[in-house]
Amino acid sequence: MKKSSKRLVISTHAKNSIGFRTRTAGIALAEFTKNPLLLWMHKRPTGESVDEILPLGYWEDIELNGEQLSGVPVFDDTDPFAMKIYNKVENGTIKMASAGLKPLEFKEEADELWLWESSLFEASLCDIGSNPEALAVSLYNENLEVITLSEVYTQNNLNADKMKIKLTATAAKILNLAAGDEMDASTVVESLVTLNEKQAGTITKLTNDLSTAETKLTDAVKLADDNAKNALLDQAQNVDRKITADQRPFLLKMETEELKKYLLTVPASPEVKDLLKGDDKKDDALLKLSYNELDKKGLLLKLKEENPEAFKEKFKEQFGTDYKG
């Protein structure tokens, strides 16, 4: 291998003949440094002909200094054509290099079009550069095919904000416009973004409203269920005398249908007067008499001794209050 004594400029900020500038600081070198190919006029051999120009060699001492990217070419001294180019570089006949870039992002700055982010794929020597600073540019796509920055490419990839699109019937309906109208692409995108944000807000509100309604419904169902269980327990405690007050908290934890089935299995407790009706026949005669009749016949003491509960019942019927003795 034969290293040149010349350092050649590969890229600068100068505008090239294609019409844009390349931001040197935005050139990624990691991929290139793994395989720093030195080509001639961006020609890559395909293996289809014996007359193809093979790589001249590789680059060394790649430097990024301010706005300038440069390097030193190293030539394959076993290749006669490569050595011809080496001699022309050394005697000053060939002074120019050209960057083979894969474009990543373009920007417009101060009415200037810039290749803002790119990746260096290869660097070639060339006979005539495209700007006074000896910079030519070749662009590669993802398939590593050389492409040009044509007017169509520029409009489709760099000036999307200036593109016009014709609205379909569906798009026009969404934007409340007439089908077939032409609008700036950026305006359509902004309208769709705004519409999406509004719809997202509406969906969020509806979701929250639904959650609130579901909570209220759940609370209402629970309240109705609690009321139904309390009504059952009121009947069982105060009317049917099936349960006592201290049993209510436990029974309230049961499901309504389960509670209904349980209460049906519990027998009702008879009232005192019903119990009195079932006493021995010897008390029947006394029980048939009123309090006054028992008093006149001197039988109150007898009833009180033999059937205290019956005495209290007669006393309450007569005076409207419980017996305190």
Side-chain angles (χ1 to χ4, degrees):
M1 304 300 290
K2 200 158 187 176
K3 185 173 182 178
S4 173
S5 63
K6 310 288 186 180
R7 172 173 290 278
L8 301 182
V9 174
I10 299 173
S11 181
T12 73
H13 284 186
K15 181 184 290 188
N16 55 56
S17 59
I18 303 176
F20 66 89
R21 301 175 186 271
T22 299
R23 188 171 73 98
T24 310
I27 300 176
L29 299 174
E31 182 179 0
F32 176 71
T33 54
K34 294 176 182 178
N35 184 32
L37 278 179
L38 172 62
L39 302 183
W40 171 248
M41 301 288 288
H42 303 291
K43 295 184 182 296
R44 298 179 59 212
T46 61
E48 298 176 356
S49 170
V50 295
D51 297 326
E52 289 179 329
I53 299 175
L54 300 176
L56 303 179
Y58 56 87
W59 292 86
E60 281 190 353
D61 305 328
I62 302 298
E63 288 185 0
L64 182 59
N65 186 10
E67 298 181 2
Q68 190 177 88
L69 177 67
S70 65
V72 178
V74 179
F75 295 84
D76 183 355
D77 55 8
T78 66
D79 184 344
F81 180 77
M83 293 312 298
K84 286 182 181 181
I85 303 301
Y86 165 79
N87 291 327
K88 292 184 182 297
V89 171
E90 291 303 300
N91 65 27
T93 303
I94 294 177
K95 303 176 180 178
M96 296 183 175
S98 172
L101 300 170
K102 288 191 286 188
L104 301 177
E105 180 185 2
F106 282 91
K107 276 189 178 182
E108 287 190 8
E109 292 283 333
D111 297 327
E112 292 277 5
L113 183 59
W114 286 79
L115 177 53
W116 200 253
E117 300 287 342
S118 61
S119 176
L120 184 61
F121 174 62
E122 53 85 8
S124 294
L125 296 179
C126 59
D127 50 5
I128 299 176
S130 60
N131 67 47
E133 297 180 1
L135 172 66
V137 176
S138 185
L139 300 179
Y140 289 84
N141 61 17
E142 293 180 353
N143 297 321
L144 304 182
E145 300 167 336
V146 176
I147 56 177
T148 59
L149 196 70
S150 64
E151 181 179 358
V152 174
Y153 181 87
T154 301
Q155 288 181 349
N156 289 343
N157 294 276
L158 309 178
N159 296 318
D161 59 322
K162 299 177 182 177
M163 292 173 58
K164 295 282 187 179
I165 62 174
K166 184 175 288 188
L167 299 177
T168 64
T170 301
K173 184 177 181 180
I174 292 174
L175 297 174
N176 295 320
L177 298 171
D181 282 357
E182 287 192 351
M183 294 181 63
D184 290 339
S186 58
T187 302
V188 173
V189 171
E190 289 175 2
S191 300
L192 290 174
V193 169
T194 301
L195 179 62
N196 181 66
E197 291 174 348
K198 289 181 178 178
Q199 289 178 336
T202 300
I203 291 172
T204 299
K205 183 179 183 303
L206 290 175
T207 301
N208 292 337
D209 290 346
L210 176 60
S211 177
T212 300
E214 289 176 342
T215 300
K216 289 182 178 179
L217 177 60
T218 300
D219 292 343
V221 170
K222 185 179 184 304
L223 178 62
D225 189 56
D226 288 345
N227 289 339
K229 287 191 287 187
N230 276 309
L232 289 172
L233 295 176
D234 287 343
Q235 174 73 23
Q237 179 183 344
N238 302 324
V239 179
D240 299 334
R241 303 170 66 84
K242 292 185 174 184
I243 64 170
T244 58
D246 58 340
Q247 292 177 292
R248 289 184 71 115
F250 170 76
L251 295 173
L252 276 172
K253 296 178 181 179
M254 299 174 66
E255 296 294 335
T256 303
E257 292 303 317
E258 183 183 5
L259 179 61
K260 287 181 180 179
K261 292 178 182 179
Y262 170 74
L263 292 176
L264 288 175
T265 66
V266 180
S269 299
E271 296 185 27
V272 173
K273 64 182 180 179
D274 295 328
L275 291 173
L276 294 177
K277 291 179 182 178
D279 281 351
D280 296 336
K281 292 182 179 180
K282 64 181 181 181
D283 294 332
D284 286 350
L286 297 177
L287 294 177
K288 291 179 181 179
L289 300 174
S290 68
Y291 185 91
N292 286 334
E293 289 172 337
L294 290 169
D295 186 33
K296 290 178 181 179
K297 294 182 179 183
L299 297 175
L300 283 175
L301 182 59
K302 177 178 175 62
L303 179 63
K304 183 178 180 181
E305 290 176 350
E306 294 180 357
N307 197 333
E309 293 298 327
F311 174 80
K312 292 179 181 179
E313 192 73 21
K314 296 291 185 182
F315 184 91
K316 187 172 184 178
E317 288 177 358
Q318 177 66 28
F319 300 105
T321 184
D322 292 332
Y323 179 71
K324 301 295 184 179

